[in-house]
Amino acid sequence: MDYHELINKAEQTHKLAGSEIVALLKNEEYQEELAQAADRVRHVFVGDEVHLRGLIEFSNICKQNCLYCGLRRDNKKVERYRLSEAEILDFAAKAKSYGYKTVVMQSGEDMHFSVDILSRVLRKIKKMDLAITLSIGEKTYEEYKAYKEAGADRYLIRIETTDRELYEALNPGMSFENRLRCLSDLKRLGYEVGTGSLVGLPNQPIESLARDLLFFQEIDADMVGIGPFIPNGDTPLHNAKGGSFLLARSFVALLRLLLPEANIPATTAMETLDRNARIIALQSGANVVMPNVTEGDYRRKYALYPGKICISDTPAHCRGCISGKIMAIGRKISEHKGFRCHANSNK
Ligand code: SAM
Ligand code: SF4
Ligand code: FES
């Protein structure tokens, strides 16, 4: 197989067959060339701006039991917390003061946050002129509708894996059909829809990752956030091998080549495996970073996986840290809300 030609084809046409994606994901020798092509496509389609989204981890209480996640309901070791409405609003106001144009509100599936409570919070945040991304798991159509009406603009819900059997094995009590239903409801309601996968799950061959990429293309995802799976010692997958940064990086590059207009974050989980991972990802196709704006000990307690970065740092420190690194590679911090670009869709 001529890898150089394959990368060229992806850069020109934004189309690859499953077998071609597999070949590129498997070939580490061509990773640099793949990343450079993705970086050029990123420059042409979404430009040099990096969108910073302030992440508020507002509850680590979860009714679900995903085998990979430290917040799963059967994990008795995690110290549970739930932010008060006043704390959430305080962190959102601070996010605004750091210059962030979007807040990402993420939590476990915490039933305390009823539609009434959360909608009230969303309306107040909306008055701060911030874009709002929600990442709170599986809800009904009516709930998604209420959140949209209260001001949510975007919704992140990873498919995690498009392998139906693997999904249902890893997410006991949850169904793949319902995950798809959530994505389709969100799209129907006019959200910008973000999804993504865990890379390096047990029993997840490269062929399965290639199908994930084609799925994101097929549903025309507005955002795709992927991260290496990092085994957590307090979960049933404590002995699993986990994903590698190299594979995650090639996945990001292929995402940019196949979905040139999408917003693609350089994720925290990547940086857990490599101290410069977010910058490398930004140079391999990514254009978004989500610095944490949750304060104090909550950062440590939102323990999806071990080795999470920035747990002892303040939001102000992270703001300075990540901005400095971004500017050092010649990129700009965006002054805009960073909605998905459609300007080049005829390219
Ligand atoms: N509860 C919501 C949901 O599941 O969509 C949002 C919060 S959940 C903690 C956010 C993401 O964390 C999940 O989509 C999953 O991909 C990721 N995650 C969970 N456990 C992880 C692990 N051990 N390693 C890497 N990422 C993990
Ligand atoms: Fe809960 Fe989300 Fe973790 Fe699953 S991934 S246990 S839904 S917080
Ligand atoms: Fe938190 Fe660098 S982004 S310390």
PDB file of all heavy atoms in Angstrom, residues 62 64 66 68-71 106-109 135-138 155-158 160 174 179 196-198 227-232 235 269 302 304-306, ligand 1:
ATOM      1  N   CYS A  62     -23.382   9.475  39.965  1.00  0.00           N
ATOM      2  CA  CYS A  62     -23.871   8.882  38.715  1.00  0.00           C
ATOM      3  C   CYS A  62     -24.673   7.629  38.987  1.00  0.00           C
ATOM      4  O   CYS A  62     -24.276   6.779  39.773  1.00  0.00           O
ATOM      5  CB  CYS A  62     -22.697   8.557  37.795  1.00  0.00           C
ATOM      6  SG  CYS A  62     -23.273   8.103  36.142  1.00  0.00           S
ATOM      7  N   GLN A  64     -25.299   5.511  36.599  1.00  0.00           N
ATOM      8  CA  GLN A  64     -24.859   4.479  35.652  1.00  0.00           C
ATOM      9  C   GLN A  64     -23.646   3.727  36.196  1.00  0.00           C
ATOM     10  O   GLN A  64     -23.054   4.135  37.204  1.00  0.00           O
ATOM     11  CB  GLN A  64     -24.517   5.091  34.284  1.00  0.00           C
ATOM     12  CG  GLN A  64     -25.657   5.852  33.634  1.00  0.00           C
ATOM     13  CD  GLN A  64     -26.825   4.957  33.192  1.00  0.00           C
ATOM     14  OE1 GLN A  64     -26.876   3.758  33.475  1.00  0.00           O
ATOM     15  NE2 GLN A  64     -27.792   5.551  32.512  1.00  0.00           N
ATOM     16  N   CYS A  66     -20.872   2.319  34.101  1.00  0.00           N
ATOM     17  CA  CYS A  66     -19.946   2.039  32.995  1.00  0.00           C
ATOM     18  C   CYS A  66     -18.653   1.416  33.549  1.00  0.00           C
ATOM     19  O   CYS A  66     -18.047   1.970  34.479  1.00  0.00           O
ATOM     20  CB  CYS A  66     -19.627   3.328  32.241  1.00  0.00           C
ATOM     21  SG  CYS A  66     -21.110   4.245  31.764  1.00  0.00           S
ATOM     22  N   TYR A  68     -15.661   1.259  32.666  1.00  0.00           N
ATOM     23  CA  TYR A  68     -14.374   1.957  32.542  1.00  0.00           C
ATOM     24  C   TYR A  68     -14.248   3.181  33.448  1.00  0.00           C
ATOM     25  O   TYR A  68     -13.164   3.718  33.603  1.00  0.00           O
ATOM     26  CB  TYR A  68     -14.151   2.390  31.076  1.00  0.00           C
ATOM     27  CG  TYR A  68     -15.395   2.961  30.411  1.00  0.00           C
ATOM     28  CD1 TYR A  68     -15.808   4.259  30.644  1.00  0.00           C
ATOM     29  CD2 TYR A  68     -16.169   2.163  29.564  1.00  0.00           C
ATOM     30  CE1 TYR A  68     -16.955   4.755  30.056  1.00  0.00           C
ATOM     31  CE2 TYR A  68     -17.316   2.653  28.959  1.00  0.00           C
ATOM     32  CZ  TYR A  68     -17.700   3.945  29.218  1.00  0.00           C
ATOM     33  OH  TYR A  68     -18.837   4.431  28.634  1.00  0.00           O
ATOM     34  N   CYS A  69     -15.349   3.627  34.039  1.00  0.00           N
ATOM     35  CA  CYS A  69     -15.350   4.982  34.628  1.00  0.00           C
ATOM     36  C   CYS A  69     -15.306   4.978  36.155  1.00  0.00           C
ATOM     37  O   CYS A  69     -16.066   4.263  36.813  1.00  0.00           O
ATOM     38  CB  CYS A  69     -16.605   5.711  34.149  1.00  0.00           C
ATOM     39  SG  CYS A  69     -16.769   7.370  34.821  1.00  0.00           S
ATOM     40  N   GLY A  70     -14.463   5.838  36.699  1.00  0.00           N
ATOM     41  CA  GLY A  70     -14.322   5.949  38.153  1.00  0.00           C
ATOM     42  C   GLY A  70     -15.553   6.508  38.849  1.00  0.00           C
ATOM     43  O   GLY A  70     -15.690   6.380  40.072  1.00  0.00           O
ATOM     44  N   LEU A  71     -16.452   7.124  38.093  1.00  0.00           N
ATOM     45  CA  LEU A  71     -17.655   7.693  38.719  1.00  0.00           C
ATOM     46  C   LEU A  71     -18.807   6.691  38.768  1.00  0.00           C
ATOM     47  O   LEU A  71     -19.890   7.009  39.268  1.00  0.00           O
ATOM     48  CB  LEU A  71     -18.110   8.965  37.969  1.00  0.00           C
ATOM     49  CG  LEU A  71     -17.066  10.070  37.771  1.00  0.00           C
ATOM     50  CD1 LEU A  71     -17.750  11.338  37.256  1.00  0.00           C
ATOM     51  CD2 LEU A  71     -16.296  10.361  39.037  1.00  0.00           C
ATOM     52  N   GLN A 106     -20.357  19.524  32.802  1.00  0.00           N
ATOM     53  CA  GLN A 106     -20.296  18.056  32.736  1.00  0.00           C
ATOM     54  C   GLN A 106     -20.558  17.426  34.097  1.00  0.00           C
ATOM     55  O   GLN A 106     -20.169  17.978  35.128  1.00  0.00           O
ATOM     56  CB  GLN A 106     -18.925  17.611  32.215  1.00  0.00           C
ATOM     57  CG  GLN A 106     -18.913  16.131  31.867  1.00  0.00           C
ATOM     58  CD  GLN A 106     -17.578  15.653  31.343  1.00  0.00           C
ATOM     59  OE1 GLN A 106     -16.681  15.338  32.100  1.00  0.00           O
ATOM     60  NE2 GLN A 106     -17.459  15.599  30.028  1.00  0.00           N
ATOM     61  N   SER A 107     -21.209  16.260  34.087  1.00  0.00           N
ATOM     62  CA  SER A 107     -21.480  15.554  35.347  1.00  0.00           C
ATOM     63  C   SER A 107     -21.765  14.084  35.071  1.00  0.00           C
ATOM     64  O   SER A 107     -21.952  13.678  33.925  1.00  0.00           O
ATOM     65  CB  SER A 107     -22.702  16.162  36.043  1.00  0.00           C
ATOM     66  OG  SER A 107     -23.866  15.864  35.317  1.00  0.00           O
ATOM     67  N   GLY A 108     -21.850  13.323  36.156  1.00  0.00           N
ATOM     68  CA  GLY A 108     -22.415  11.985  36.065  1.00  0.00           C
ATOM     69  C   GLY A 108     -23.916  12.132  35.840  1.00  0.00           C
ATOM     70  O   GLY A 108     -24.450  13.249  35.810  1.00  0.00           O
ATOM     71  N   GLU A 109     -24.602  11.032  35.690  1.00  0.00           N
ATOM     72  CA  GLU A 109     -26.071  11.115  35.549  1.00  0.00           C
ATOM     73  C   GLU A 109     -26.648  11.232  36.956  1.00  0.00           C
ATOM     74  O   GLU A 109     -27.000  10.241  37.592  1.00  0.00           O
ATOM     75  CB  GLU A 109     -26.603   9.908  34.770  1.00  0.00           C
ATOM     76  CG  GLU A 109     -26.166   9.946  33.307  1.00  0.00           C
ATOM     77  CD  GLU A 109     -26.970   9.027  32.398  1.00  0.00           C
ATOM     78  OE1 GLU A 109     -28.061   8.593  32.793  1.00  0.00           O
ATOM     79  OE2 GLU A 109     -26.496   8.747  31.288  1.00  0.00           O
ATOM     80  N   SER A 135     -22.935  18.172  29.028  1.00  0.00           N
ATOM     81  CA  SER A 135     -22.419  16.802  28.889  1.00  0.00           C
ATOM     82  C   SER A 135     -22.863  16.056  30.140  1.00  0.00           C
ATOM     83  O   SER A 135     -22.103  15.901  31.095  1.00  0.00           O
ATOM     84  CB  SER A 135     -20.893  16.842  28.749  1.00  0.00           C
ATOM     85  OG  SER A 135     -20.367  15.540  28.743  1.00  0.00           O
ATOM     86  N   ILE A 136     -24.147  15.649  30.117  1.00  0.00           N
ATOM     87  CA  ILE A 136     -24.748  15.072  31.329  1.00  0.00           C
ATOM     88  C   ILE A 136     -25.434  13.734  31.041  1.00  0.00           C
ATOM     89  O   ILE A 136     -26.241  13.278  31.828  1.00  0.00           O
ATOM     90  CB  ILE A 136     -25.727  16.081  31.981  1.00  0.00           C
ATOM     91  CG1 ILE A 136     -26.834  16.494  31.001  1.00  0.00           C
ATOM     92  CG2 ILE A 136     -24.969  17.316  32.459  1.00  0.00           C
ATOM     93  CD1 ILE A 136     -27.923  17.363  31.633  1.00  0.00           C
ATOM     94  N   GLY A 137     -25.098  13.149  29.894  1.00  0.00           N
ATOM     95  CA  GLY A 137     -25.535  11.785  29.631  1.00  0.00           C
ATOM     96  C   GLY A 137     -26.880  11.647  28.949  1.00  0.00           C
ATOM     97  O   GLY A 137     -27.347  12.560  28.257  1.00  0.00           O
ATOM     98  N   GLU A 138     -27.490  10.486  29.146  1.00  0.00           N
ATOM     99  CA  GLU A 138     -28.702  10.115  28.422  1.00  0.00           C
ATOM    100  C   GLU A 138     -29.947  10.703  29.084  1.00  0.00           C
ATOM    101  O   GLU A 138     -30.188  10.492  30.277  1.00  0.00           O
ATOM    102  CB  GLU A 138     -28.812   8.584  28.362  1.00  0.00           C
ATOM    103  CG  GLU A 138     -27.651   7.960  27.608  1.00  0.00           C
ATOM    104  CD  GLU A 138     -27.794   6.456  27.414  1.00  0.00           C
ATOM    105  OE1 GLU A 138     -28.809   5.872  27.845  1.00  0.00           O
ATOM    106  OE2 GLU A 138     -26.866   5.871  26.829  1.00  0.00           O
ATOM    107  N   TYR A 155     -24.230  19.820  22.854  1.00  0.00           N
ATOM    108  CA  TYR A 155     -24.335  18.672  23.760  1.00  0.00           C
ATOM    109  C   TYR A 155     -23.267  17.651  23.382  1.00  0.00           C
ATOM    110  O   TYR A 155     -23.125  17.299  22.208  1.00  0.00           O
ATOM    111  CB  TYR A 155     -25.716  18.028  23.643  1.00  0.00           C
ATOM    112  CG  TYR A 155     -26.115  17.267  24.886  1.00  0.00           C
ATOM    113  CD1 TYR A 155     -26.987  17.815  25.825  1.00  0.00           C
ATOM    114  CD2 TYR A 155     -25.599  15.989  25.148  1.00  0.00           C
ATOM    115  CE1 TYR A 155     -27.344  17.123  26.978  1.00  0.00           C
ATOM    116  CE2 TYR A 155     -25.951  15.298  26.295  1.00  0.00           C
ATOM    117  CZ  TYR A 155     -26.829  15.876  27.205  1.00  0.00           C
ATOM    118  OH  TYR A 155     -27.174  15.185  28.346  1.00  0.00           O
ATOM    119  N   LEU A 156     -22.524  17.218  24.378  1.00  0.00           N
ATOM    120  CA  LEU A 156     -21.497  16.195  24.160  1.00  0.00           C
ATOM    121  C   LEU A 156     -21.963  14.868  24.728  1.00  0.00           C
ATOM    122  O   LEU A 156     -22.224  14.769  25.926  1.00  0.00           O
ATOM    123  CB  LEU A 156     -20.211  16.557  24.930  1.00  0.00           C
ATOM    124  CG  LEU A 156     -19.359  17.727  24.494  1.00  0.00           C
ATOM    125  CD1 LEU A 156     -18.186  17.887  25.461  1.00  0.00           C
ATOM    126  CD2 LEU A 156     -18.831  17.498  23.092  1.00  0.00           C
ATOM    127  N   ILE A 157     -22.066  13.881  23.884  1.00  0.00           N
ATOM    128  CA  ILE A 157     -22.361  12.534  24.369  1.00  0.00           C
ATOM    129  C   ILE A 157     -21.625  11.550  23.462  1.00  0.00           C
ATOM    130  O   ILE A 157     -21.971  11.368  22.296  1.00  0.00           O
ATOM    131  CB  ILE A 157     -23.888  12.259  24.485  1.00  0.00           C
ATOM    132  CG1 ILE A 157     -24.140  10.859  25.037  1.00  0.00           C
ATOM    133  CG2 ILE A 157     -24.639  12.510  23.201  1.00  0.00           C
ATOM    134  CD1 ILE A 157     -25.554  10.654  25.595  1.00  0.00           C
ATOM    135  N   ARG A 158     -20.567  10.994  24.004  1.00  0.00           N
ATOM    136  CA  ARG A 158     -19.760  10.089  23.192  1.00  0.00           C
ATOM    137  C   ARG A 158     -20.514   8.787  22.942  1.00  0.00           C
ATOM    138  O   ARG A 158     -21.171   8.284  23.851  1.00  0.00           O
ATOM    139  CB  ARG A 158     -18.449   9.750  23.918  1.00  0.00           C
ATOM    140  CG  ARG A 158     -17.467  10.900  23.969  1.00  0.00           C
ATOM    141  CD  ARG A 158     -16.213  10.439  24.691  1.00  0.00           C
ATOM    142  NE  ARG A 158     -15.176  11.458  24.675  1.00  0.00           N
ATOM    143  CZ  ARG A 158     -14.025  11.342  25.346  1.00  0.00           C
ATOM    144  NH1 ARG A 158     -13.783  10.265  26.078  1.00  0.00           N
ATOM    145  NH2 ARG A 158     -13.123  12.287  25.281  1.00  0.00           N
ATOM    146  N   GLU A 160     -18.818   6.296  22.528  1.00  0.00           N
ATOM    147  CA  GLU A 160     -17.794   5.481  23.233  1.00  0.00           C
ATOM    148  C   GLU A 160     -17.203   4.400  22.327  1.00  0.00           C
ATOM    149  O   GLU A 160     -15.988   4.265  22.221  1.00  0.00           O
ATOM    150  CB  GLU A 160     -18.309   4.848  24.538  1.00  0.00           C
ATOM    151  CG  GLU A 160     -19.128   5.767  25.449  1.00  0.00           C
ATOM    152  CD  GLU A 160     -18.332   6.884  26.115  1.00  0.00           C
ATOM    153  OE1 GLU A 160     -17.124   7.006  25.886  1.00  0.00           O
ATOM    154  OE2 GLU A 160     -18.953   7.679  26.870  1.00  0.00           O
ATOM    155  N   MET A 174     -27.407  -0.245  29.917  1.00  0.00           N
ATOM    156  CA  MET A 174     -27.610   0.804  28.903  1.00  0.00           C
ATOM    157  C   MET A 174     -27.698   0.121  27.534  1.00  0.00           C
ATOM    158  O   MET A 174     -27.153  -0.962  27.352  1.00  0.00           O
ATOM    159  CB  MET A 174     -26.439   1.799  28.912  1.00  0.00           C
ATOM    160  CG  MET A 174     -26.326   2.545  30.236  1.00  0.00           C
ATOM    161  SD  MET A 174     -24.772   3.448  30.426  1.00  0.00           S
ATOM    162  CE  MET A 174     -25.146   4.985  29.603  1.00  0.00           C
ATOM    163  N   ARG A 179     -28.399   5.138  22.963  1.00  0.00           N
ATOM    164  CA  ARG A 179     -27.319   6.100  22.722  1.00  0.00           C
ATOM    165  C   ARG A 179     -27.532   6.763  21.354  1.00  0.00           C
ATOM    166  O   ARG A 179     -27.398   7.984  21.210  1.00  0.00           O
ATOM    167  CB  ARG A 179     -25.982   5.343  22.770  1.00  0.00           C
ATOM    168  CG  ARG A 179     -24.777   6.172  23.125  1.00  0.00           C
ATOM    169  CD  ARG A 179     -24.777   6.571  24.567  1.00  0.00           C
ATOM    170  NE  ARG A 179     -23.536   7.183  24.999  1.00  0.00           N
ATOM    171  CZ  ARG A 179     -23.360   7.651  26.225  1.00  0.00           C
ATOM    172  NH1 ARG A 179     -24.310   7.595  27.135  1.00  0.00           N
ATOM    173  NH2 ARG A 179     -22.218   8.210  26.557  1.00  0.00           N
ATOM    174  N   GLY A 196     -17.931  11.004  20.219  1.00  0.00           N
ATOM    175  CA  GLY A 196     -16.531  10.577  20.274  1.00  0.00           C
ATOM    176  C   GLY A 196     -16.402   9.172  20.816  1.00  0.00           C
ATOM    177  O   GLY A 196     -17.402   8.519  21.122  1.00  0.00           O
ATOM    178  N   SER A 197     -15.161   8.728  20.920  1.00  0.00           N
ATOM    179  CA  SER A 197     -14.895   7.346  21.337  1.00  0.00           C
ATOM    180  C   SER A 197     -13.813   7.290  22.392  1.00  0.00           C
ATOM    181  O   SER A 197     -13.006   8.213  22.527  1.00  0.00           O
ATOM    182  CB  SER A 197     -14.318   6.527  20.176  1.00  0.00           C
ATOM    183  OG  SER A 197     -15.137   6.554  19.089  1.00  0.00           O
ATOM    184  N   LEU A 198     -13.792   6.175  23.063  1.00  0.00           N
ATOM    185  CA  LEU A 198     -12.645   5.811  23.896  1.00  0.00           C
ATOM    186  C   LEU A 198     -11.746   4.941  23.023  1.00  0.00           C
ATOM    187  O   LEU A 198     -12.215   4.016  22.369  1.00  0.00           O
ATOM    188  CB  LEU A 198     -13.109   5.038  25.132  1.00  0.00           C
ATOM    189  CG  LEU A 198     -13.662   5.914  26.252  1.00  0.00           C
ATOM    190  CD1 LEU A 198     -14.372   5.078  27.295  1.00  0.00           C
ATOM    191  CD2 LEU A 198     -12.545   6.733  26.895  1.00  0.00           C
ATOM    192  N   GLY A 227     -10.536  10.177  23.415  1.00  0.00           N
ATOM    193  CA  GLY A 227      -9.455  10.104  24.392  1.00  0.00           C
ATOM    194  C   GLY A 227      -9.026   8.678  24.552  1.00  0.00           C
ATOM    195  O   GLY A 227      -9.796   7.751  24.265  1.00  0.00           O
ATOM    196  N   PRO A 228      -7.769   8.485  24.979  1.00  0.00           N
ATOM    197  CA  PRO A 228      -7.353   7.122  25.286  1.00  0.00           C
ATOM    198  C   PRO A 228      -8.110   6.633  26.509  1.00  0.00           C
ATOM    199  O   PRO A 228      -8.370   7.424  27.430  1.00  0.00           O
ATOM    200  CB  PRO A 228      -5.864   7.284  25.604  1.00  0.00           C
ATOM    201  CG  PRO A 228      -5.692   8.706  26.005  1.00  0.00           C
ATOM    202  CD  PRO A 228      -6.735   9.491  25.267  1.00  0.00           C
ATOM    203  N   PHE A 229      -8.503   5.373  26.510  1.00  0.00           N
ATOM    204  CA  PHE A 229      -9.069   4.780  27.724  1.00  0.00           C
ATOM    205  C   PHE A 229      -7.917   4.572  28.710  1.00  0.00           C
ATOM    206  O   PHE A 229      -6.887   3.997  28.372  1.00  0.00           O
ATOM    207  CB  PHE A 229      -9.752   3.444  27.373  1.00  0.00           C
ATOM    208  CG  PHE A 229      -9.869   2.524  28.559  1.00  0.00           C
ATOM    209  CD1 PHE A 229     -10.535   2.934  29.703  1.00  0.00           C
ATOM    210  CD2 PHE A 229      -9.290   1.260  28.539  1.00  0.00           C
ATOM    211  CE1 PHE A 229     -10.623   2.091  30.817  1.00  0.00           C
ATOM    212  CE2 PHE A 229      -9.370   0.420  29.635  1.00  0.00           C
ATOM    213  CZ  PHE A 229     -10.025   0.837  30.779  1.00  0.00           C
ATOM    214  N   ILE A 230      -8.107   5.093  29.929  1.00  0.00           N
ATOM    215  CA  ILE A 230      -7.077   4.962  30.970  1.00  0.00           C
ATOM    216  C   ILE A 230      -7.665   4.117  32.107  1.00  0.00           C
ATOM    217  O   ILE A 230      -8.636   4.537  32.748  1.00  0.00           O
ATOM    218  CB  ILE A 230      -6.652   6.358  31.497  1.00  0.00           C
ATOM    219  CG1 ILE A 230      -6.155   7.226  30.322  1.00  0.00           C
ATOM    220  CG2 ILE A 230      -5.574   6.230  32.570  1.00  0.00           C
ATOM    221  CD1 ILE A 230      -5.885   8.666  30.672  1.00  0.00           C
ATOM    222  N   PRO A 231      -7.118   2.920  32.334  1.00  0.00           N
ATOM    223  CA  PRO A 231      -7.711   2.029  33.337  1.00  0.00           C
ATOM    224  C   PRO A 231      -7.694   2.647  34.735  1.00  0.00           C
ATOM    225  O   PRO A 231      -6.711   3.279  35.133  1.00  0.00           O
ATOM    226  CB  PRO A 231      -6.819   0.782  33.285  1.00  0.00           C
ATOM    227  CG  PRO A 231      -6.094   0.872  31.991  1.00  0.00           C
ATOM    228  CD  PRO A 231      -5.964   2.317  31.654  1.00  0.00           C
ATOM    229  N   ASN A 232      -8.807   2.478  35.424  1.00  0.00           N
ATOM    230  CA  ASN A 232      -8.944   3.015  36.777  1.00  0.00           C
ATOM    231  C   ASN A 232      -8.923   1.835  37.759  1.00  0.00           C
ATOM    232  O   ASN A 232      -9.716   0.898  37.610  1.00  0.00           O
ATOM    233  CB  ASN A 232     -10.284   3.779  36.846  1.00  0.00           C
ATOM    234  CG  ASN A 232     -10.514   4.420  38.199  1.00  0.00           C
ATOM    235  OD1 ASN A 232     -10.140   3.880  39.248  1.00  0.00           O
ATOM    236  ND2 ASN A 232     -11.134   5.577  38.188  1.00  0.00           N
ATOM    237  N   THR A 235     -12.147   0.206  39.329  1.00  0.00           N
ATOM    238  CA  THR A 235     -13.222  -0.256  38.435  1.00  0.00           C
ATOM    239  C   THR A 235     -12.937  -1.701  38.003  1.00  0.00           C
ATOM    240  O   THR A 235     -11.806  -2.175  38.151  1.00  0.00           O
ATOM    241  CB  THR A 235     -13.298   0.612  37.152  1.00  0.00           C
ATOM    242  OG1 THR A 235     -12.084   0.391  36.412  1.00  0.00           O
ATOM    243  CG2 THR A 235     -13.459   2.082  37.456  1.00  0.00           C
ATOM    244  N   ALA A 269      -7.444  13.660  28.780  1.00  0.00           N
ATOM    245  CA  ALA A 269      -6.993  12.266  28.945  1.00  0.00           C
ATOM    246  C   ALA A 269      -5.709  12.019  28.153  1.00  0.00           C
ATOM    247  O   ALA A 269      -4.826  11.281  28.592  1.00  0.00           O
ATOM    248  CB  ALA A 269      -8.089  11.298  28.514  1.00  0.00           C
ATOM    249  N   TYR A 302     -13.318  14.464  40.896  1.00  0.00           N
ATOM    250  CA  TYR A 302     -13.920  14.077  39.609  1.00  0.00           C
ATOM    251  C   TYR A 302     -12.926  13.128  38.934  1.00  0.00           C
ATOM    252  O   TYR A 302     -12.258  13.442  37.956  1.00  0.00           O
ATOM    253  CB  TYR A 302     -14.183  15.325  38.758  1.00  0.00           C
ATOM    254  CG  TYR A 302     -15.184  15.109  37.641  1.00  0.00           C
ATOM    255  CD1 TYR A 302     -16.552  15.157  37.883  1.00  0.00           C
ATOM    256  CD2 TYR A 302     -14.763  14.858  36.335  1.00  0.00           C
ATOM    257  CE1 TYR A 302     -17.477  14.959  36.860  1.00  0.00           C
ATOM    258  CE2 TYR A 302     -15.678  14.662  35.308  1.00  0.00           C
ATOM    259  CZ  TYR A 302     -17.031  14.723  35.585  1.00  0.00           C
ATOM    260  OH  TYR A 302     -17.952  14.532  34.565  1.00  0.00           O
ATOM    261  N   LEU A 304     -12.250  10.218  36.962  1.00  0.00           N
ATOM    262  CA  LEU A 304     -12.630   9.208  35.972  1.00  0.00           C
ATOM    263  C   LEU A 304     -11.551   8.146  35.869  1.00  0.00           C
ATOM    264  O   LEU A 304     -11.814   6.967  35.721  1.00  0.00           O
ATOM    265  CB  LEU A 304     -12.800   9.837  34.585  1.00  0.00           C
ATOM    266  CG  LEU A 304     -13.604  11.124  34.465  1.00  0.00           C
ATOM    267  CD1 LEU A 304     -13.684  11.538  33.011  1.00  0.00           C
ATOM    268  CD2 LEU A 304     -14.978  10.918  35.037  1.00  0.00           C
ATOM    269  N   TYR A 305     -10.302   8.622  35.917  1.00  0.00           N
ATOM    270  CA  TYR A 305      -9.127   7.754  35.721  1.00  0.00           C
ATOM    271  C   TYR A 305      -7.981   8.346  36.537  1.00  0.00           C
ATOM    272  O   TYR A 305      -8.023   9.527  36.906  1.00  0.00           O
ATOM    273  CB  TYR A 305      -8.766   7.673  34.224  1.00  0.00           C
ATOM    274  CG  TYR A 305      -8.702   9.028  33.562  1.00  0.00           C
ATOM    275  CD1 TYR A 305      -7.622   9.877  33.743  1.00  0.00           C
ATOM    276  CD2 TYR A 305      -9.761   9.487  32.780  1.00  0.00           C
ATOM    277  CE1 TYR A 305      -7.577  11.127  33.161  1.00  0.00           C
ATOM    278  CE2 TYR A 305      -9.730  10.749  32.194  1.00  0.00           C
ATOM    279  CZ  TYR A 305      -8.624  11.551  32.390  1.00  0.00           C
ATOM    280  OH  TYR A 305      -8.593  12.803  31.828  1.00  0.00           O
ATOM    281  N   PRO A 306      -6.942   7.540  36.813  1.00  0.00           N
ATOM    282  CA  PRO A 306      -5.830   8.062  37.610  1.00  0.00           C
ATOM    283  C   PRO A 306      -4.917   8.973  36.788  1.00  0.00           C
ATOM    284  O   PRO A 306      -4.893   8.895  35.559  1.00  0.00           O
ATOM    285  CB  PRO A 306      -5.066   6.787  38.020  1.00  0.00           C
ATOM    286  CG  PRO A 306      -5.414   5.781  36.977  1.00  0.00           C
ATOM    287  CD  PRO A 306      -6.783   6.114  36.469  1.00  0.00           C
TER     288      PRO A 306
HETATM  289  N1  SAM B   1     -21.873  11.032  32.261  1.00  0.00           N
HETATM  290  C1  SAM B   1     -21.752  11.647  30.985  1.00  0.00           C
HETATM  291  C2  SAM B   1     -21.505  10.618  29.906  1.00  0.00           C
HETATM  292  O1  SAM B   1     -21.096   9.502  30.219  1.00  0.00           O
HETATM  293  O2  SAM B   1     -21.732  10.958  28.737  1.00  0.00           O
HETATM  294  C3  SAM B   1     -20.673  12.711  30.945  1.00  0.00           C
HETATM  295  C4  SAM B   1     -19.511  12.534  31.865  1.00  0.00           C
HETATM  296  S1  SAM B   1     -18.450  11.148  31.481  1.00  0.00           S
HETATM  297  C5  SAM B   1     -17.388  11.141  32.852  1.00  0.00           C
HETATM  298  C6  SAM B   1     -17.433  11.855  30.179  1.00  0.00           C
HETATM  299  C7  SAM B   1     -16.548  10.895  29.429  1.00  0.00           C
HETATM  300  O3  SAM B   1     -15.524  10.396  30.287  1.00  0.00           O
HETATM  301  C8  SAM B   1     -17.197   9.645  28.909  1.00  0.00           C
HETATM  302  O4  SAM B   1     -17.863   9.883  27.697  1.00  0.00           O
HETATM  303  C9  SAM B   1     -15.999   8.680  28.751  1.00  0.00           C
HETATM  304  O5  SAM B   1     -15.602   8.566  27.402  1.00  0.00           O
HETATM  305  C10 SAM B   1     -14.889   9.366  29.569  1.00  0.00           C
HETATM  306  N2  SAM B   1     -14.244   8.417  30.499  1.00  0.00           N
HETATM  307  C11 SAM B   1     -14.833   7.729  31.494  1.00  0.00           C
HETATM  308  N3  SAM B   1     -13.945   6.878  32.066  1.00  0.00           N
HETATM  309  C12 SAM B   1     -12.765   7.037  31.420  1.00  0.00           C
HETATM  310  C13 SAM B   1     -11.470   6.415  31.529  1.00  0.00           C
HETATM  311  N4  SAM B   1     -11.231   5.462  32.428  1.00  0.00           N
HETATM  312  N5  SAM B   1     -10.494   6.814  30.677  1.00  0.00           N
HETATM  313  C14 SAM B   1     -10.731   7.801  29.770  1.00  0.00           C
HETATM  314  N6  SAM B   1     -11.925   8.410  29.626  1.00  0.00           N
HETATM  315  C15 SAM B   1     -12.940   8.030  30.429  1.00  0.00           C
END
